[in-house]
Amino acid sequence: MTHNVGVISTFQTPARSRHPEVNYVEQAQKAALGALHAAGMRPDDIDAVVFSMAPTFFMGITDVDRWAIDHVFGAGKPFFRVHTGGSTGGSAVHAAYGLVRSGFYSTVLIVGAERLDETPDAQEVLNLTFDAFYEREMPMSTNTSVGLMASRYMNKYGITQEQLALAAVRQRGNATKNPNAHLKGHITVDDVMASPLVAYPLKLYDICPRSSASAAMIVGNDEAIEAFQPKPAYINGIGSISDSYWLGDRLTPTSRSDASEFQIAATAGKEAFRRAGISDPLSEIQVAEFYDPYTLMGYLQLEQLGFCEKGKAPLLDEDGVWDMDGAVAVNPSGGTLCSNPIGVTGLVRAIEAANQVMGNAGDTQVGGVRNALSSAIGGMAQFVNFTIFGDDHR
């Protein structure tokens, strides 16, 4: 027998460059306590804990989840650490969903923290993802890899750098209403174009910041929902997929997907839609919270998931289709372009989507939200997952 799974409560701390007032476990505990208080729950009301944590090299502490167990009320309970790079937060939501859906537990706390500021060079740590002999010293990086994807996308569809910049303009503006966003402000396409070049065609404003923050979500079955949350956001569909490790293998004629177009997202997204009963995402989904550390990435996901035709997402941005009051509000929180605490970024995307359904999104709330989508991407797009939240169970 399977069980309905709904979001009971959420909490996140503001994303900033630094949080010197707390250490890592105190930062994680703030999120856990916040989610418990928001639901009127006590630690004893939680059956299991899923800990969302990406590489610990940023902090110079190995397996810091062990240090955090007592602080997030995991001692004496099943405790699971999840790590799939940037997609960790989304994978953690899926893990908790499975634990409740299967009937093993009634309530699960998902919690994690990130402190990217504690390393002098986050990119050097991220580059450890790449093969030491053939890729790491080319020099490959997340920036140069996505730069290559963007160049190919622009060439194939005739998209300009100015059109890609529209995502940063829209989302920085959205973030002005989000107290938890790291980067925010009203900028122009000219501002994006004038920012320093990082990896052609990507400029500084095309790229997310290094953020530190913590986040938590409590999910539960119908019995827990009845006890603690009169208006839950139900998790109605999930989809997840992984790709080959070698970037070169993704660019061959026999590969499963075109890496420049992010085709594996279509597979995972369509599976989430199928499970949630979504057949026309443009008309049935009101909010999309995409994992988009680069201006290109949100557009690719819109196209691969069928919100629009290939090569059209930036053009539709010019027409306001992805605005807060457009056909689909894309990243009303500001998205990953404005805040990227890697270990919990996917969880924050899920929190923002769930809050929209629950009507708890504050000044970024979109009207009439029945279905919202979140995504997470990790390991240089090796891992991708999507989650569909709805105002009723499907």
Side-chain angles (χ1 to χ4, degrees):
M1 178 181 177
T2 57
H3 298 261
N4 296 319
V5 184
V7 177
I8 294 174
S9 69
T10 68
F11 188 86
Q12 56 181 304
T13 62
R16 301 290 183 263
S17 294
R18 299 181 62 85
H19 286 278
E21 74 282 2
V22 292
N23 61 31
Y24 179 89
V25 296
E26 291 170 336
Q27 193 168 342
Q29 187 181 67
K30 288 181 70 172
L33 281 170
L36 287 168
H37 289 164
M41 300 175 75
R42 298 166 53 88
D44 289 347
D45 294 319
I46 299 298
D47 295 336
V49 177
V50 173
F51 201 75
S52 178
M53 188 176 70
T56 58
F57 296 108
F58 298 125
M59 294 165 285
I61 302 173
T62 302
D63 299 329
V64 71
D65 52 311
R66 301 183 183 184
W67 181 25
I69 287 176
D70 293 308
H71 298 263
V72 298
F73 317 111
K77 299 173 183 176
F79 184 95
F80 309 87
R81 177 194 170 181
V82 174
H83 171 26
T84 54
S87 62
T88 295
S91 298
V93 172
H94 288 195
Y97 168 85
L99 293 172
V100 175
R101 179 82 169 166
S102 64
F104 278 111
Y105 306 106
S106 296
T107 56
V108 177
L109 167 68
I110 312 156
V111 62
E114 183 64 90
R115 294 173 74 82
L116 279 172
D117 62 291
E118 295 189 357
T119 180
D121 190 348
Q123 188 61 63
E124 183 175 352
V125 172
L126 293 173
N127 283 3
L128 295 175
T129 301
F130 295 92
D131 175 78
F133 296 100
Y134 297 102
E135 294 179 338
R136 194 180 302 169
E137 299 302 325
M138 289 180 62
M140 293 296 288
S141 71
T142 50
N143 293 331
T144 55
S145 300
V146 177
L148 292 171
M149 293 172 64
S151 294
R152 180 162 173 164
Y153 176 81
M154 290 166 55
N155 181 65
K156 185 172 184 177
Y157 295 110
I159 298 299
T160 67
Q161 295 182 56
E162 288 83 357
Q163 288 168 324
L164 287 182
L166 291 169
V169 173
R170 168 173 42 80
Q171 292 179 207
R172 288 280 193 100
N174 289 349
T176 60
K177 298 180 180 181
N178 179 5
N180 295 315
H182 187 172
L183 299 181
K184 60 185 76 177
H186 296 289
I187 61 173
T188 66
V189 169
D190 288 341
D191 293 329
V192 180
M193 295 299 295
S195 63
L197 182 66
V198 176
Y200 180 86
L202 303 173
K203 280 77 61 188
L204 185 63
Y205 286 8
D206 284 301
I207 303 172
C208 66
R210 292 170 51 182
S211 306
S212 297
S214 58
M217 171 186 285
I218 298 173
V219 298
N221 60 15
D222 283 330
E223 182 179 348
I225 290 168
E226 184 177 355
F228 297 109
Q229 179 52 258
K231 188 180 178 182
Y234 288 95
I235 300 177
N236 288 327
I238 64 170
S240 180
I241 194 170
S242 61
D243 206 343
S244 301
Y245 169 69
W246 298 96
L247 290 179
D249 288 346
R250 304 185 210 169
L251 299 173
T252 65
T254 58
S255 64
R256 289 186 297 275
S257 64
D258 183 341
S260 70
E261 293 201 9
F262 199 33
Q263 289 174 348
I264 65 167
T267 304
K270 289 175 181 176
E271 180 65 10
F273 290 158
R274 182 189 66 79
R275 289 173 169 164
I278 300 291
S279 58
D280 182 6
L282 185 63
S283 64
E284 295 179 80
I285 292 178
Q286 291 75 45
V287 171
E289 279 285 341
F290 289 127
Y291 189 103
D292 63 334
Y294 301 88
T295 47
L296 172 71
M297 298 309 295
Y299 292 139
L300 288 181
Q301 291 172 81
L302 283 166
E303 293 172 7
Q304 290 299 325
L305 269 62
F307 286 90
C308 63
E309 296 178 12
K310 307 288 179 59
K312 298 297 185 184
L315 305 181
L316 293 173
D317 213 347
E318 293 179 314
D319 297 331
V321 175
W322 315 128
D323 288 350
M324 293 273 287
D325 58 354
V328 178
V330 176
N331 290 324
S333 69
T336 308
L337 270 173
C338 296
S339 307
N340 190 22
I342 294 175
V344 293
T345 298
L347 177 56
V348 171
R349 301 278 68 74
I351 286 171
E352 295 288 356
N355 283 348
Q356 288 284 346
V357 172
M358 300 165 77
N360 294 336
D363 290 339
T364 66
Q365 182 68 50
V366 175
V369 178
R370 303 181 307 279
N371 296 297
L373 161 72
S374 70
S375 71
I377 307 168
M380 215 19 258
Q382 187 178 11
F383 305 104
V384 182
N385 59 64
F386 294 92
T387 308
I388 310 292
F389 299 89
D391 61 358
D392 199 358
H393 58 80
R394 307 287 192 268

